Amino acid sequence: MRPNVPSDADPGHSPVTRDGVVPTPPAPPEAVAPLMRGISVLRRLTEADGVLSLSSLEKATGLARSTVDRITATLARMGYVRLDGRDAVLAPRLMELGNAYLASIRLPRLLDAHADALADELDESVSLAVADRDGVRFIHQATRRRAMSLSFRIGDLLPAERTAPGPLFATEWGPAEWARWRARREADPEGRGFPAVPPREGAYDDFEARTESAAARGWALDDQLIEPGLVAVSVPVRDPRTGRVACVASVVSHTSRHTTDSLRSVLLPRLRATVARMEQELAGAAREPAAPDGGSPPPSSPPPSSTSTSTPTPSALGGLAAWTGASKQELGREFIESLARGLTVVTSFGEGRADLTLTDVARTTGLARATARRALITLEHLGYVESSDRVFRLTPRVLGLGFPPLSMLPLPRIAAPHLAELSARVHESASLAVLTAGGDEVQYTARVATSRIMSVNITLGTRFPAYATSLGRVMLAGLLPEVSLPERLVPLTPRSVTDPVELLTVLERVRTDGYALVDGELEEGLRSIAVPVHDRDGRVTAAVNVAMHSSRRSVEQCVREILPELRATVHRIESELRVAGMFRRVAGV
């Protein structure tokens, strides 16, 4: 089948400005200007890998500083941005926008296990990608741990012509899509608009020929188009309902491991077999009856920022309208209601809610129809929503709002700002730790120390016996009998519990109480209290503690004063961990 590739003389070529930029069409009169400005701030933060000073945001967006301040204050209130001194930092909760898209298309949920199994079988990286106009975005990555490994992130945008999936998507392009691609090629010959890949001129030269070849063969190769040494083979995964390409599965390797010939002879047959299983999975899902009442329940409204612990939660307030009203009352003109409401429209989509009418969006968010309509018009103008027959759906472009840098955050970096806030509130050291393999020791992976003459001196990577620490006990209590106690319990101080039966009794109490307090068992004079951290499945995966010298607080004061703050901190960490881990494995968990 020959792809629809028009000649250079075909009409529809988009105009290009003198500075090499394809102009954006003017915004419709109904567009919400504050929503457009807020998205512009999120895009600039994403391009800067998640961190920019407020003055740099002012320059990058061209907005007035007062406008930047109001936008970042609103985004901070939503939990999407953290204000750290003069910097704005993307926060993990922002990933709920990309999660809404990934949940709505269902592909990662249905296909990622097949991709992971193929990666294990081949010992190579395997990815799933979708088309975003004339670009390609990754929606799943199963990578191998090597000195030279695939480093693309979920949501990264690559030019179609420099990837193996690109020609497969281009087989379905019509004249308008080819015209858009040619306009972009002319405006940006080196591909500098795609920061995920190094600039390179001349990678476009044979794209049309490669598209024709992909249409004829049903698969495509990337022979070092992205960068020297990187090779890949791709096969389309087709939607059984339409026969169109739903996504593309790729196996990515290095020339030190595979040539293009071995990609075809060794990896392609196994990739095709996996794609056949993926298409069977999609066919089975297509036969499933639709979930009642639109699928999963509507998303919750944004919570107060972690620093506003006294503000009621949205559930207590009764929904988005009440939450935005309360936020406006507290922050005044610094809170932009139309921005908050517009971004919440994105989260109205999800699994079972891929195609929504205006009425569906208004009902799910609790917004007035007129407000929801203006938000949808704005999002469609910006390319984050598309519509057909009065039905709206999210586009892959939503992944460009913070998802790539945030998808790489490990648990210690998610926890770090919360530990800093905890330490500042209680004026003591706060730490995050995990159990080592076998459960014998705890290892510190994040820590915030106080500035005192006498302080707890522990560095990252430090290990201690799990049985003698508050961190270890809350994790052991949650994981027994999966992990076992050491055969020999060594007394570290006269207070150390070394009798196995007594220790098991202590751990049962810890499991019941939900916290552990250890007083002088690791080191005399050291008192600490810890709470477990649970992953999305409710499994204990880490722990947070506050440690101090015993002279500063009694045991009773620790339980009365420190424990509530500790639990609130862990709740915020777990909340962000649930969002961050919805479609990827969070490192350190």
Side-chain angles (χ1 to χ4, degrees):
M1 172 180 165
R2 179 181 172 85
N4 188 4
V5 183
S7 68
D8 287 335
D10 281 340
H13 190 98
S14 300
V16 180
T17 60
R18 289 184 179 178
D19 57 357
V21 176
V22 181
T24 302
E30 302 95 327
V32 182
L35 176 57
M36 295 175 65
R37 297 185 190 116
I39 286 176
S40 175
V41 166
L42 290 175
R43 287 179 57 195
R44 296 298 175 265
L45 280 168
T46 302
E47 292 166 2
D49 225 24
V51 183
L52 267 182
S53 67
L54 297 177
S55 59
S56 296
L57 269 175
E58 179 185 358
K59 295 176 183 176
T61 59
L63 299 172
R65 176 58 185 267
S66 59
T67 302
V68 170
D69 289 343
R70 293 181 65 209
I71 289 172
T72 53
T74 302
L75 294 173
R77 179 70 172 181
M78 298 182 75
Y80 288 172
V81 162
R82 189 177 75 255
L83 297 176
D84 185 4
R86 298 181 179 180
D87 291 339
V89 184
L90 294 181
R93 187 177 173 88
L94 178 62
M95 293 177 71
E96 71 180 11
L97 301 182
N99 285 345
Y101 165 73
L102 294 173
S104 69
I105 63 172
R106 300 183 67 193
L107 294 176
R109 192 80 77 199
L110 293 170
L111 306 182
D112 60 2
H114 297 285
D116 294 347
L118 180 62
D120 290 338
E121 175 190 345
L122 301 178
D123 193 26
E124 300 288 356
S125 295
V126 175
S127 65
L128 299 175
V130 294
D132 185 354
R133 297 196 179 185
D134 59 347
V136 171
R137 287 194 193 269
F138 294 103
I139 59 171
H140 181 71
Q141 292 276 16
T143 57
R144 303 292 89 185
R145 291 193 175 188
R146 296 197 182 97
M148 291 186 297
S149 61
L150 183 69
S151 60
F152 294 123
R153 306 165 299 185
I154 297 176
D156 267 336
L157 179 65
L158 278 66
E161 64 276 3
R162 288 184 60 183
T163 67
L168 294 166
F169 289 124
T171 61
E172 297 181 340
W173 287 0
E177 287 82 9
W178 280 104
R180 182 191 300 122
W181 176 77
R182 285 197 175 89
R184 192 257 296 164
R185 167 187 173 177
E186 182 178 327
D188 184 14
E190 295 184 345
R192 294 185 179 275
F194 298 86
V197 294
R200 180 179 177 185
E201 194 165 7
Y204 316 95
D205 296 344
D206 64 344
F207 183 53
E208 283 126 315
R210 286 191 290 119
T211 299
E212 292 185 16
S213 176
R217 297 185 301 188
W219 53 273
L221 285 175
D222 168 8
D223 186 4
Q224 307 181 72
L225 289 169
I226 292 177
E227 64 178 35
L230 192 66
V231 292
V233 59
S234 296
V235 173
V237 181
R238 297 192 176 275
D239 187 330
R241 297 167 298 181
T242 65
R244 294 179 62 85
V245 179
C247 66
V248 170
S250 304
V251 178
V252 185
S253 188
H254 193 270
T255 51
S256 61
R257 294 175 59 84
H258 280 283
T259 64
T260 54
D261 287 339
S262 66
L263 286 179
R264 286 191 293 262
S265 61
V266 178
L267 302 187
L268 180 58
R270 301 188 208 180
L271 176 58
R272 278 177 157 164
T274 296
V275 166
R277 289 191 288 271
M278 289 180 174
E279 291 177 340
Q280 290 173 359
E281 191 83 50
L282 294 182
R287 291 192 294 268
E288 294 175 0
D293 195 27
S296 54
S300 62
S301 302
S305 65
S306 59
T307 56
S308 303
T309 54
S310 61
T311 306
T313 62
S315 58
L317 290 170
L320 175 67
W323 179 83
T324 54
S327 298
K328 187 70 173 178
Q329 184 174 3
E330 181 176 334
L331 298 182
R333 68 180 306 274
E334 295 303 304
F335 182 78
I336 307 173
E337 287 183 272
S338 55
L339 170 57
R341 290 171 174 171
L343 291 176
T344 302
V345 165
V346 175
T347 63
S348 65
F349 296 83
E351 188 164 353
R353 303 190 307 275
D355 302 301
L356 298 180
T357 64
L358 172 59
T359 300
D360 294 332
V361 172
R363 182 178 63 246
T364 302
T365 59
L367 295 172
R369 277 177 57 90
T371 302
R373 177 177 172 273
R374 291 189 64 201
L376 287 167
I377 288 173
T378 307
L379 293 168
E380 186 170 20
H381 166 69
L382 296 175
Y384 297 101
V385 164
E386 59 186 9
S387 63
S388 176
D389 297 327
R390 298 186 179 182
V391 172
F392 298 87
R393 63 188 61 84
L394 296 179
T395 72
R397 183 166 291 192
V398 173
L399 293 173
L401 298 178
F403 213 93
L406 292 173
S407 68
M408 300 300 288
L409 286 182
L411 175 58
R413 285 187 58 190
I414 292 174
H418 301 289
L419 296 181
E421 291 175 0
L422 173 62
S423 178
R425 286 196 298 271
V426 301
H427 306 290
E428 303 289 356
S429 299
S431 303
L432 174 84
V434 295
L435 275 181
T436 58
D440 290 345
E441 296 177 311
V442 297
Q443 182 173 11
Y444 286 75
T445 57
R447 179 169 167 76
V448 176
T450 54
S451 298
R452 291 179 180 267
I453 295 175
M454 184 173 63
S455 61
V456 180
N457 185 20
I458 298 171
T459 58
L460 293 186
T462 297
R463 296 187 179 195
F464 289 127
Y467 67 89
T469 65
S470 60
L471 292 162
R473 285 185 183 175
V474 290
M475 288 188 279
L476 289 172
L479 295 173
L480 286 175
E482 295 177 41
V483 296
S484 57
L485 297 178
E487 295 182 2
R488 182 167 172 262
L489 302 176
V490 179
L492 304 175
T493 75
R495 291 172 171 262
S496 300
V497 175
T498 57
D499 178 73
V501 175
E502 182 182 358
L503 181 58
L504 285 173
T505 301
V506 170
L507 294 177
E508 284 297 329
R509 186 168 65 248
V510 168
R511 191 203 303 265
T512 301
D513 295 341
Y515 73 93
L517 192 149
V518 171
D519 187 13
E521 295 187 47
L522 179 66
E523 182 177 323
E524 292 192 56
L526 179 63
R527 183 172 292 152
S528 67
I529 184 170
V531 171
V533 176
H534 300 83
D535 63 14
R536 285 183 57 84
D537 299 322
R539 176 183 168 86
V540 174
T541 190
V544 173
N545 84 343
V546 171
M548 71 208 77
H549 190 271
S550 58
S551 62
R552 289 208 286 270
R553 279 185 175 91
S554 67
V555 170
E556 292 75 16
Q557 286 176 311
C558 286
V559 174
R560 185 175 65 251
E561 299 171 7
I562 303 295
L563 183 58
E565 295 283 0
L566 191 55
R567 282 176 164 159
T569 296
V570 167
H571 175 74
R572 286 189 284 271
I573 293 172
E574 289 177 338
S575 177
E576 291 195 345
L577 187 58
R578 283 193 294 271
V579 175
M582 187 171 182
F583 288 103
R584 60 113 188 181
R585 180 186 176 277
V586 178
V589 172

